PDB file of all heavy atoms in Angstrom:
ATOM      1  N   MET A  41       0.827  -1.141   0.054  1.00 88.00           N
ATOM      2  CA  MET A  41       0.035   0.018  -0.020  1.00 88.00           C
ATOM      3  C   MET A  41       0.959   1.192  -0.014  1.00 88.00           C
ATOM      4  O   MET A  41       1.964   1.264   0.665  1.00 88.00           O
ATOM      5  CB  MET A  41      -0.914  -0.010   1.280  1.00 88.00           C
ATOM      6  CG  MET A  41      -1.959  -1.111   1.192  1.00 88.00           C
ATOM      7  SD  MET A  41      -3.255  -0.873   2.334  1.00 88.00           S
ATOM      8  CE  MET A  41      -4.197   0.442   1.812  1.00 88.00           C
ATOM      9  N   LYS A  42       0.440   2.184  -0.642  1.00 91.00           N
ATOM     10  CA  LYS A  42       1.077   3.419  -0.877  1.00 91.00           C
ATOM     11  C   LYS A  42       0.096   4.649  -0.553  1.00 91.00           C
ATOM     12  O   LYS A  42      -0.861   4.691  -1.467  1.00 91.00           O
ATOM     13  CB  LYS A  42       1.877   3.664  -2.116  1.00 91.00           C
ATOM     14  CG  LYS A  42       2.541   4.888  -2.120  1.00 91.00           C
ATOM     15  CD  LYS A  42       3.292   5.095  -3.572  1.00 91.00           C
ATOM     16  CE  LYS A  42       4.118   6.378  -3.660  1.00 91.00           C
ATOM     17  NZ  LYS A  42       4.672   6.498  -4.920  1.00 91.00           N
ATOM     18  N   GLN A  43       0.119   5.312   0.377  1.00 92.00           N
ATOM     19  CA  GLN A  43      -0.820   6.374   0.576  1.00 92.00           C
ATOM     20  C   GLN A  43      -2.279   5.891   0.671  1.00 92.00           C
ATOM     21  O   GLN A  43      -3.213   6.496   0.142  1.00 92.00           O
ATOM     22  CB  GLN A  43      -0.659   7.547  -0.416  1.00 92.00           C
ATOM     23  CG  GLN A  43       0.607   8.296  -0.321  1.00 92.00           C
ATOM     24  CD  GLN A  43       0.774   9.294  -1.454  1.00 92.00           C
ATOM     25  OE1 GLN A  43       0.024   9.237  -2.428  1.00 92.00           O
ATOM     26  NE2 GLN A  43       1.737  10.190  -0.998  1.00 92.00           N
ATOM     27  N   GLY A  44      -2.494   4.813   1.306  1.00 93.00           N
ATOM     28  CA  GLY A  44      -3.756   4.123   1.502  1.00 93.00           C
ATOM     29  C   GLY A  44      -4.242   3.247   0.256  1.00 93.00           C
ATOM     30  O   GLY A  44      -5.431   2.923   0.209  1.00 93.00           O
ATOM     31  N   ARG A  45      -3.489   3.148  -0.745  1.00 94.00           N
ATOM     32  CA  ARG A  45      -4.012   2.509  -1.989  1.00 94.00           C
ATOM     33  C   ARG A  45      -3.104   1.319  -2.271  1.00 94.00           C
ATOM     34  O   ARG A  45      -1.888   1.396  -2.114  1.00 94.00           O
ATOM     35  CB  ARG A  45      -3.878   3.415  -3.167  1.00 94.00           C
ATOM     36  CG  ARG A  45      -4.930   4.534  -3.054  1.00 94.00           C
ATOM     37  CD  ARG A  45      -4.751   5.547  -4.388  1.00 94.00           C
ATOM     38  NE  ARG A  45      -5.532   6.659  -4.322  1.00 94.00           N
ATOM     39  CZ  ARG A  45      -6.682   6.967  -4.691  1.00 94.00           C
ATOM     40  NH1 ARG A  45      -7.295   5.963  -5.286  1.00 94.00           N
ATOM     41  NH2 ARG A  45      -7.329   8.069  -4.500  1.00 94.00           N
ATOM     42  N   VAL A  46      -3.751   0.257  -2.775  1.00 94.00           N
ATOM     43  CA  VAL A  46      -2.991  -1.106  -3.046  1.00 94.00           C
ATOM     44  C   VAL A  46      -2.244  -0.742  -4.232  1.00 94.00           C
ATOM     45  O   VAL A  46      -2.850  -0.243  -5.365  1.00 94.00           O
ATOM     46  CB  VAL A  46      -4.028  -2.233  -3.274  1.00 94.00           C
ATOM     47  CG1 VAL A  46      -3.173  -3.428  -3.719  1.00 94.00           C
ATOM     48  CG2 VAL A  46      -4.704  -2.553  -1.987  1.00 94.00           C
ATOM     49  N   VAL A  47      -0.946  -0.940  -4.355  1.00 93.00           N
ATOM     50  CA  VAL A  47      -0.192  -0.609  -5.581  1.00 93.00           C
ATOM     51  C   VAL A  47       0.069  -1.928  -6.284  1.00 93.00           C
ATOM     52  O   VAL A  47       0.486  -1.998  -7.513  1.00 93.00           O
ATOM     53  CB  VAL A  47       1.175   0.216  -5.326  1.00 93.00           C
ATOM     54  CG1 VAL A  47       0.786   1.584  -4.927  1.00 93.00           C
ATOM     55  CG2 VAL A  47       2.009  -0.472  -4.359  1.00 93.00           C
ATOM     56  N   GLU A  48       0.108  -3.071  -5.602  1.00 95.00           N
ATOM     57  CA  GLU A  48       0.474  -4.309  -6.181  1.00 95.00           C
ATOM     58  C   GLU A  48      -0.086  -5.522  -5.358  1.00 95.00           C
ATOM     59  O   GLU A  48      -0.037  -5.503  -4.117  1.00 95.00           O
ATOM     60  CB  GLU A  48       1.934  -4.523  -6.208  1.00 95.00           C
ATOM     61  CG  GLU A  48       2.468  -5.594  -7.083  1.00 95.00           C
ATOM     62  CD  GLU A  48       3.772  -5.508  -7.519  1.00 95.00           C
ATOM     63  OE1 GLU A  48       4.527  -4.536  -7.316  1.00 95.00           O
ATOM     64  OE2 GLU A  48       4.416  -6.438  -8.188  1.00 95.00           O
ATOM     65  N   ALA A  49      -0.763  -6.444  -6.041  1.00 95.00           N
ATOM     66  CA  ALA A  49      -1.392  -7.498  -5.347  1.00 95.00           C
ATOM     67  C   ALA A  49      -1.073  -8.827  -6.080  1.00 95.00           C
ATOM     68  O   ALA A  49      -1.089  -8.944  -7.246  1.00 95.00           O
ATOM     69  CB  ALA A  49      -2.949  -7.373  -5.328  1.00 95.00           C
ATOM     70  N   ASP A  50      -0.541  -9.724  -5.209  1.00 94.00           N
ATOM     71  CA  ASP A  50      -0.164 -11.059  -5.771  1.00 94.00           C
ATOM     72  C   ASP A  50       0.191 -11.958  -4.558  1.00 94.00           C
ATOM     73  O   ASP A  50       0.186 -11.470  -3.371  1.00 94.00           O
ATOM     74  CB  ASP A  50       1.071 -11.055  -6.757  1.00 94.00           C
ATOM     75  CG  ASP A  50       1.136 -12.040  -7.852  1.00 94.00           C
ATOM     76  OD1 ASP A  50       0.515 -13.187  -7.604  1.00 94.00           O
ATOM     77  OD2 ASP A  50       1.512 -11.870  -8.920  1.00 94.00           O
ATOM     78  N   THR A  51       0.759 -13.199  -4.854  1.00 93.00           N
ATOM     79  CA  THR A  51       1.143 -13.901  -3.699  1.00 93.00           C
ATOM     80  C   THR A  51       2.439 -13.373  -3.163  1.00 93.00           C
ATOM     81  O   THR A  51       3.184 -12.738  -3.910  1.00 93.00           O
ATOM     82  CB  THR A  51       1.391 -15.383  -4.148  1.00 93.00           C
ATOM     83  OG1 THR A  51       2.494 -15.533  -5.034  1.00 93.00           O
ATOM     84  CG2 THR A  51       0.208 -16.083  -4.749  1.00 93.00           C
ATOM     85  N   ALA A  52       2.882 -13.693  -1.905  1.00 90.00           N
ATOM     86  CA  ALA A  52       4.195 -13.148  -1.423  1.00 90.00           C
ATOM     87  C   ALA A  52       5.164 -13.652  -2.210  1.00 90.00           C
ATOM     88  O   ALA A  52       6.226 -12.827  -2.360  1.00 90.00           O
ATOM     89  CB  ALA A  52       4.399 -13.528   0.018  1.00 90.00           C
ATOM     90  N   ASP A  53       5.264 -14.950  -2.641  1.00 89.00           N
ATOM     91  CA  ASP A  53       6.213 -15.557  -3.517  1.00 89.00           C
ATOM     92  C   ASP A  53       6.451 -14.725  -4.738  1.00 89.00           C
ATOM     93  O   ASP A  53       7.579 -14.441  -5.108  1.00 89.00           O
ATOM     94  CB  ASP A  53       5.992 -17.022  -3.802  1.00 89.00           C
ATOM     95  CG  ASP A  53       6.245 -17.921  -2.592  1.00 89.00           C
ATOM     96  OD1 ASP A  53       6.894 -17.434  -1.630  1.00 89.00           O
ATOM     97  OD2 ASP A  53       5.737 -18.939  -2.444  1.00 89.00           O
ATOM     98  N   GLU A  54       5.342 -14.350  -5.383  1.00 92.00           N
ATOM     99  CA  GLU A  54       5.357 -13.578  -6.673  1.00 92.00           C
ATOM    100  C   GLU A  54       6.029 -12.254  -6.531  1.00 92.00           C
ATOM    101  O   GLU A  54       6.702 -11.706  -7.271  1.00 92.00           O
ATOM    102  CB  GLU A  54       4.091 -13.816  -7.344  1.00 92.00           C
ATOM    103  CG  GLU A  54       3.631 -15.025  -7.949  1.00 92.00           C
ATOM    104  CD  GLU A  54       4.535 -15.635  -8.912  1.00 92.00           C
ATOM    105  OE1 GLU A  54       4.989 -14.893  -9.874  1.00 92.00           O
ATOM    106  OE2 GLU A  54       4.795 -16.745  -8.888  1.00 92.00           O
ATOM    107  N   ILE A  55       5.419 -11.593  -5.355  1.00 92.00           N
ATOM    108  CA  ILE A  55       6.073 -10.216  -5.097  1.00 92.00           C
ATOM    109  C   ILE A  55       7.490 -10.341  -4.867  1.00 92.00           C
ATOM    110  O   ILE A  55       8.110  -9.362  -5.486  1.00 92.00           O
ATOM    111  CB  ILE A  55       5.153  -9.652  -3.971  1.00 92.00           C
ATOM    112  CG1 ILE A  55       3.817  -9.550  -4.200  1.00 92.00           C
ATOM    113  CG2 ILE A  55       5.835  -8.305  -3.547  1.00 92.00           C
ATOM    114  CD1 ILE A  55       3.299  -8.353  -5.077  1.00 92.00           C
ATOM    115  N   PHE A  56       7.989 -11.150  -4.039  1.00 88.00           N
ATOM    116  CA  PHE A  56       9.432 -10.997  -3.779  1.00 88.00           C
ATOM    117  C   PHE A  56      10.212 -11.579  -4.978  1.00 88.00           C
ATOM    118  O   PHE A  56      11.307 -11.140  -5.114  1.00 88.00           O
ATOM    119  CB  PHE A  56       9.709 -12.070  -2.498  1.00 88.00           C
ATOM    120  CG  PHE A  56       9.377 -11.330  -1.263  1.00 88.00           C
ATOM    121  CD1 PHE A  56       8.177 -11.542  -0.535  1.00 88.00           C
ATOM    122  CD2 PHE A  56      10.334 -10.596  -0.635  1.00 88.00           C
ATOM    123  CE1 PHE A  56       7.849 -10.912   0.623  1.00 88.00           C
ATOM    124  CE2 PHE A  56      10.036  -9.917   0.610  1.00 88.00           C
ATOM    125  CZ  PHE A  56       8.773 -10.117   1.216  1.00 88.00           C
ATOM    126  N   ALA A  57       9.622 -12.435  -5.767  1.00 89.00           N
ATOM    127  CA  ALA A  57      10.475 -12.947  -6.921  1.00 89.00           C
ATOM    128  C   ALA A  57      10.445 -11.896  -8.081  1.00 89.00           C
ATOM    129  O   ALA A  57      11.383 -11.760  -8.833  1.00 89.00           O
ATOM    130  CB  ALA A  57       9.794 -14.218  -7.388  1.00 89.00           C
ATOM    131  N   GLY A  58       9.383 -11.007  -8.137  1.00 92.00           N
ATOM    132  CA  GLY A  58       9.416 -10.176  -9.295  1.00 92.00           C
ATOM    133  C   GLY A  58       8.495  -9.058  -9.139  1.00 92.00           C
ATOM    134  O   GLY A  58       7.471  -9.030  -9.885  1.00 92.00           O
ATOM    135  N   ALA A  59       8.518  -8.185  -8.180  1.00 94.00           N
ATOM    136  CA  ALA A  59       7.748  -7.071  -8.021  1.00 94.00           C
ATOM    137  C   ALA A  59       7.663  -6.224  -9.369  1.00 94.00           C
ATOM    138  O   ALA A  59       8.684  -6.005  -9.934  1.00 94.00           O
ATOM    139  CB  ALA A  59       8.240  -6.223  -6.768  1.00 94.00           C
ATOM    140  N   LYS A  60       6.536  -5.654  -9.628  1.00 94.00           N
ATOM    141  CA  LYS A  60       6.373  -5.029 -10.931  1.00 94.00           C
ATOM    142  C   LYS A  60       6.434  -3.535 -10.720  1.00 94.00           C
ATOM    143  O   LYS A  60       6.928  -2.748 -11.582  1.00 94.00           O
ATOM    144  CB  LYS A  60       5.019  -5.355 -11.514  1.00 94.00           C
ATOM    145  CG  LYS A  60       4.999  -6.892 -11.961  1.00 94.00           C
ATOM    146  CD  LYS A  60       3.571  -7.291 -12.405  1.00 94.00           C
ATOM    147  CE  LYS A  60       3.414  -8.652 -12.768  1.00 94.00           C
ATOM    148  NZ  LYS A  60       3.445  -9.489 -11.484  1.00 94.00           N
ATOM    149  N   GLU A  61       6.065  -3.039  -9.498  1.00 94.00           N
ATOM    150  CA  GLU A  61       6.016  -1.647  -9.143  1.00 94.00           C
ATOM    151  C   GLU A  61       7.185  -1.272  -8.552  1.00 94.00           C
ATOM    152  O   GLU A  61       7.833  -1.927  -7.665  1.00 94.00           O
ATOM    153  CB  GLU A  61       4.858  -1.365  -8.246  1.00 94.00           C
ATOM    154  CG  GLU A  61       3.477  -1.546  -8.845  1.00 94.00           C
ATOM    155  CD  GLU A  61       3.100  -0.717  -9.971  1.00 94.00           C
ATOM    156  OE1 GLU A  61       3.504   0.400  -9.999  1.00 94.00           O
ATOM    157  OE2 GLU A  61       2.441  -1.061 -10.838  1.00 94.00           O
ATOM    158  N   ALA A  62       7.738   0.087  -8.956  1.00 95.00           N
ATOM    159  CA  ALA A  62       9.054   0.508  -8.350  1.00 95.00           C
ATOM    160  C   ALA A  62       8.827   0.689  -6.917  1.00 95.00           C
ATOM    161  O   ALA A  62       9.866   0.414  -6.203  1.00 95.00           O
ATOM    162  CB  ALA A  62       9.411   1.883  -9.108  1.00 95.00           C
ATOM    163  N   TYR A  63       7.754   1.178  -6.436  1.00 94.00           N
ATOM    164  CA  TYR A  63       7.555   1.202  -4.944  1.00 94.00           C
ATOM    165  C   TYR A  63       7.693   0.061  -4.216  1.00 94.00           C
ATOM    166  O   TYR A  63       8.336   0.043  -3.153  1.00 94.00           O
ATOM    167  CB  TYR A  63       6.094   1.996  -4.685  1.00 94.00           C
ATOM    168  CG  TYR A  63       5.830   2.206  -3.300  1.00 94.00           C
ATOM    169  CD1 TYR A  63       6.484   3.351  -2.602  1.00 94.00           C
ATOM    170  CD2 TYR A  63       5.004   1.417  -2.572  1.00 94.00           C
ATOM    171  CE1 TYR A  63       6.208   3.644  -1.363  1.00 94.00           C
ATOM    172  CE2 TYR A  63       4.716   1.657  -1.172  1.00 94.00           C
ATOM    173  CZ  TYR A  63       5.392   2.783  -0.583  1.00 94.00           C
ATOM    174  OH  TYR A  63       5.215   3.060   0.723  1.00 94.00           O
ATOM    175  N   THR A  64       7.145  -1.028  -4.786  1.00 94.00           N
ATOM    176  CA  THR A  64       7.297  -2.335  -4.117  1.00 94.00           C
ATOM    177  C   THR A  64       8.665  -2.811  -4.074  1.00 94.00           C
ATOM    178  O   THR A  64       9.232  -3.354  -2.945  1.00 94.00           O
ATOM    179  CB  THR A  64       6.338  -3.411  -4.772  1.00 94.00           C
ATOM    180  OG1 THR A  64       5.059  -2.837  -4.867  1.00 94.00           O
ATOM    181  CG2 THR A  64       6.436  -4.667  -4.086  1.00 94.00           C
ATOM    182  N   ARG A  65       9.407  -2.661  -5.222  1.00 93.00           N
ATOM    183  CA  ARG A  65      10.765  -3.082  -5.284  1.00 93.00           C
ATOM    184  C   ARG A  65      11.742  -2.262  -4.296  1.00 93.00           C
ATOM    185  O   ARG A  65      12.476  -2.713  -3.618  1.00 93.00           O
ATOM    186  CB  ARG A  65      11.350  -2.873  -6.602  1.00 93.00           C
ATOM    187  CG  ARG A  65      10.882  -3.876  -7.697  1.00 93.00           C
ATOM    188  CD  ARG A  65      11.498  -3.839  -8.908  1.00 93.00           C
ATOM    189  NE  ARG A  65      11.559  -2.476  -9.665  1.00 93.00           N
ATOM    190  CZ  ARG A  65      10.532  -2.146 -10.524  1.00 93.00           C
ATOM    191  NH1 ARG A  65       9.540  -2.826 -10.769  1.00 93.00           N
ATOM    192  NH2 ARG A  65      10.689  -0.892 -10.919  1.00 93.00           N
ATOM    193  N   ASP A  66      11.319  -0.894  -4.175  1.00 93.00           N
ATOM    194  CA  ASP A  66      12.096  -0.061  -3.146  1.00 93.00           C
ATOM    195  C   ASP A  66      11.771  -0.540  -1.890  1.00 93.00           C
ATOM    196  O   ASP A  66      12.784  -0.555  -0.883  1.00 93.00           O
ATOM    197  CB  ASP A  66      11.699   1.313  -3.330  1.00 93.00           C
ATOM    198  CG  ASP A  66      12.188   2.065  -4.639  1.00 93.00           C
ATOM    199  OD1 ASP A  66      13.102   1.516  -5.166  1.00 93.00           O
ATOM    200  OD2 ASP A  66      11.651   3.135  -4.922  1.00 93.00           O
ATOM    201  N   LEU A  67      10.690  -0.976  -1.395  1.00 91.00           N
ATOM    202  CA  LEU A  67      10.267  -1.368   0.033  1.00 91.00           C
ATOM    203  C   LEU A  67      11.148  -2.739   0.208  1.00 91.00           C
ATOM    204  O   LEU A  67      11.727  -2.996   1.201  1.00 91.00           O
ATOM    205  CB  LEU A  67       8.854  -1.712   0.060  1.00 91.00           C
ATOM    206  CG  LEU A  67       7.997  -0.416   0.210  1.00 91.00           C
ATOM    207  CD1 LEU A  67       6.428  -0.992   0.264  1.00 91.00           C
ATOM    208  CD2 LEU A  67       8.265   0.301   1.498  1.00 91.00           C
ATOM    209  N   ILE A  68      11.088  -3.551  -0.677  1.00 90.00           N
ATOM    210  CA  ILE A  68      11.797  -4.871  -0.569  1.00 90.00           C
ATOM    211  C   ILE A  68      13.370  -4.611  -0.466  1.00 90.00           C
ATOM    212  O   ILE A  68      13.948  -5.293   0.505  1.00 90.00           O
ATOM    213  CB  ILE A  68      11.593  -5.954  -1.802  1.00 90.00           C
ATOM    214  CG1 ILE A  68      10.053  -6.361  -1.737  1.00 90.00           C
ATOM    215  CG2 ILE A  68      12.567  -6.978  -1.765  1.00 90.00           C
ATOM    216  CD1 ILE A  68       9.604  -7.015  -3.005  1.00 90.00           C
ATOM    217  N   ASP A  69      13.796  -3.734  -1.273  1.00 89.00           N
ATOM    218  CA  ASP A  69      15.390  -3.494  -1.192  1.00 89.00           C
ATOM    219  C   ASP A  69      15.692  -2.726   0.124  1.00 89.00           C
ATOM    220  O   ASP A  69      16.856  -2.687   0.417  1.00 89.00           O
ATOM    221  CB  ASP A  69      15.635  -2.621  -2.429  1.00 89.00           C
ATOM    222  CG  ASP A  69      15.783  -3.231  -3.755  1.00 89.00           C
ATOM    223  OD1 ASP A  69      15.619  -4.485  -3.726  1.00 89.00           O
ATOM    224  OD2 ASP A  69      15.646  -2.518  -4.725  1.00 89.00           O
ATOM    225  N   SER A  70      14.769  -2.148   0.816  1.00 89.00           N
ATOM    226  CA  SER A  70      15.057  -1.433   1.930  1.00 89.00           C
ATOM    227  C   SER A  70      15.138  -2.347   3.309  1.00 89.00           C
ATOM    228  O   SER A  70      15.653  -1.866   4.176  1.00 89.00           O
ATOM    229  CB  SER A  70      14.033  -0.314   2.281  1.00 89.00           C
ATOM    230  OG  SER A  70      12.713  -0.903   2.686  1.00 89.00           O
ATOM    231  N   VAL A  71      14.803  -3.627   3.108  1.00 87.00           N
ATOM    232  CA  VAL A  71      14.924  -4.575   4.280  1.00 87.00           C
ATOM    233  C   VAL A  71      16.218  -5.000   4.442  1.00 87.00           C
ATOM    234  O   VAL A  71      16.902  -5.650   3.569  1.00 87.00           O
ATOM    235  CB  VAL A  71      13.905  -5.772   4.161  1.00 87.00           C
ATOM    236  CG1 VAL A  71      14.166  -6.685   5.243  1.00 87.00           C
ATOM    237  CG2 VAL A  71      12.488  -5.214   3.789  1.00 87.00           C
ATOM    238  N   PRO A  72      16.981  -4.560   5.624  1.00 83.00           N
ATOM    239  CA  PRO A  72      18.395  -5.071   5.753  1.00 83.00           C
ATOM    240  C   PRO A  72      18.415  -6.633   5.810  1.00 83.00           C
ATOM    241  O   PRO A  72      17.687  -7.266   6.543  1.00 83.00           O
ATOM    242  CB  PRO A  72      18.817  -4.358   7.022  1.00 83.00           C
ATOM    243  CG  PRO A  72      17.675  -3.532   7.503  1.00 83.00           C
ATOM    244  CD  PRO A  72      16.526  -3.894   6.562  1.00 83.00           C
ATOM    245  N   GLY A  73      19.310  -7.093   5.063  1.00 78.00           N
ATOM    246  CA  GLY A  73      19.709  -8.530   5.045  1.00 78.00           C
ATOM    247  C   GLY A  73      18.666  -9.498   4.320  1.00 78.00           C
ATOM    248  O   GLY A  73      18.909 -10.598   4.184  1.00 78.00           O
ATOM    249  N   LEU A  74      17.727  -8.775   3.709  1.00 75.00           N
ATOM    250  CA  LEU A  74      16.746  -9.666   2.899  1.00 75.00           C
ATOM    251  C   LEU A  74      17.489 -10.180   1.716  1.00 75.00           C
ATOM    252  O   LEU A  74      18.171  -9.470   0.978  1.00 75.00           O
ATOM    253  CB  LEU A  74      15.613  -8.721   2.476  1.00 75.00           C
ATOM    254  CG  LEU A  74      14.344  -9.522   1.826  1.00 75.00           C
ATOM    255  CD1 LEU A  74      13.784 -10.621   2.892  1.00 75.00           C
ATOM    256  CD2 LEU A  74      13.351  -8.516   1.277  1.00 75.00           C
ATOM    257  N   GLY A  75      17.362 -11.454   1.533  1.00 71.00           N
ATOM    258  CA  GLY A  75      18.112 -12.191   0.375  1.00 71.00           C
ATOM    259  C   GLY A  75      19.435 -12.755   0.623  1.00 71.00           C
ATOM    260  O   GLY A  75      20.005 -13.442  -0.126  1.00 71.00           O
ATOM    261  N   ILE A  76      19.788 -12.470   1.938  1.00 74.00           N
ATOM    262  CA  ILE A  76      21.113 -13.072   2.260  1.00 74.00           C
ATOM    263  C   ILE A  76      20.805 -14.537   2.887  1.00 74.00           C
ATOM    264  O   ILE A  76      19.937 -14.743   3.711  1.00 74.00           O
ATOM    265  CB  ILE A  76      21.791 -12.230   3.364  1.00 74.00           C
ATOM    266  CG1 ILE A  76      22.209 -10.777   2.912  1.00 74.00           C
ATOM    267  CG2 ILE A  76      23.050 -12.948   4.022  1.00 74.00           C
ATOM    268  CD1 ILE A  76      22.629  -9.805   3.849  1.00 74.00           C
ATOM    269  N   GLU A  77      21.638 -15.523   2.474  1.00 74.00           N
ATOM    270  CA  GLU A  77      21.396 -16.843   2.925  1.00 74.00           C
ATOM    271  C   GLU A  77      21.956 -17.001   4.278  1.00 74.00           C
ATOM    272  O   GLU A  77      22.855 -16.346   4.866  1.00 74.00           O
ATOM    273  CB  GLU A  77      22.222 -17.754   2.026  1.00 74.00           C
ATOM    274  CG  GLU A  77      21.753 -17.792   0.593  1.00 74.00           C
ATOM    275  CD  GLU A  77      20.290 -18.276   0.471  1.00 74.00           C
ATOM    276  OE1 GLU A  77      20.004 -19.352   1.187  1.00 74.00           O
ATOM    277  OE2 GLU A  77      19.475 -17.749  -0.354  1.00 74.00           O
ATOM    278  N   LEU A  78      21.368 -17.806   5.100  1.00 70.00           N
ATOM    279  CA  LEU A  78      21.677 -18.096   6.298  1.00 70.00           C
ATOM    280  C   LEU A  78      23.135 -18.576   6.572  1.00 70.00           C
ATOM    281  O   LEU A  78      23.614 -19.492   5.740  1.00 70.00           O
ATOM    282  CB  LEU A  78      20.805 -19.192   7.066  1.00 70.00           C
ATOM    283  CG  LEU A  78      20.848 -19.396   8.663  1.00 70.00           C
ATOM    284  CD1 LEU A  78      20.423 -18.185   9.256  1.00 70.00           C
ATOM    285  CD2 LEU A  78      19.978 -20.495   8.993  1.00 70.00           C
ATOM    286  N   GLY A  79      24.017 -17.933   7.269  1.00 73.00           N
ATOM    287  CA  GLY A  79      25.337 -18.306   7.323  1.00 73.00           C
ATOM    288  C   GLY A  79      26.294 -17.523   6.392  1.00 73.00           C
ATOM    289  O   GLY A  79      27.510 -17.714   6.554  1.00 73.00           O
ATOM    290  N   GLU A  80      25.713 -16.817   5.571  1.00 69.00           N
ATOM    291  CA  GLU A  80      26.490 -16.141   4.510  1.00 69.00           C
ATOM    292  C   GLU A  80      27.230 -14.877   5.224  1.00 69.00           C
ATOM    293  O   GLU A  80      26.589 -14.177   6.035  1.00 69.00           O
ATOM    294  CB  GLU A  80      25.641 -15.559   3.436  1.00 69.00           C
ATOM    295  CG  GLU A  80      26.356 -14.843   2.249  1.00 69.00           C
ATOM    296  CD  GLU A  80      25.383 -14.419   1.283  1.00 69.00           C
ATOM    297  OE1 GLU A  80      24.341 -14.918   1.246  1.00 69.00           O
ATOM    298  OE2 GLU A  80      25.827 -13.561   0.537  1.00 69.00           O
ATOM    299  N   THR A  81      28.473 -14.655   4.941  1.00 69.00           N
ATOM    300  CA  THR A  81      29.156 -13.479   5.497  1.00 69.00           C
ATOM    301  C   THR A  81      28.832 -12.230   4.756  1.00 69.00           C
ATOM    302  O   THR A  81      28.807 -12.310   3.441  1.00 69.00           O
ATOM    303  CB  THR A  81      30.750 -13.727   5.499  1.00 69.00           C
ATOM    304  OG1 THR A  81      31.067 -14.917   6.070  1.00 69.00           O
ATOM    305  CG2 THR A  81      31.445 -12.559   5.981  1.00 69.00           C
ATOM    306  N   ILE A  82      28.532 -11.091   5.420  1.00 64.00           N
ATOM    307  CA  ILE A  82      28.127 -10.017   4.737  1.00 64.00           C
ATOM    308  C   ILE A  82      29.251  -8.901   5.001  1.00 64.00           C
ATOM    309  O   ILE A  82      29.934  -8.997   5.864  1.00 64.00           O
ATOM    310  CB  ILE A  82      26.701  -9.399   5.254  1.00 64.00           C
ATOM    311  CG1 ILE A  82      26.628  -9.233   6.658  1.00 64.00           C
ATOM    312  CG2 ILE A  82      25.730 -10.377   4.575  1.00 64.00           C
ATOM    313  CD1 ILE A  82      25.309  -8.627   7.128  1.00 64.00           C
TER     314      ILE A  82
END
């Protein structure tokens, strides 16, 4: 949601695998450590 409106709707797997909206991609990219494998050195 952005400013009270749904900007993208799909399953969580689909959103994380290929978000279509720039706003959604920015939100996913802002999560620290998202996409890092367990035990991976950062």
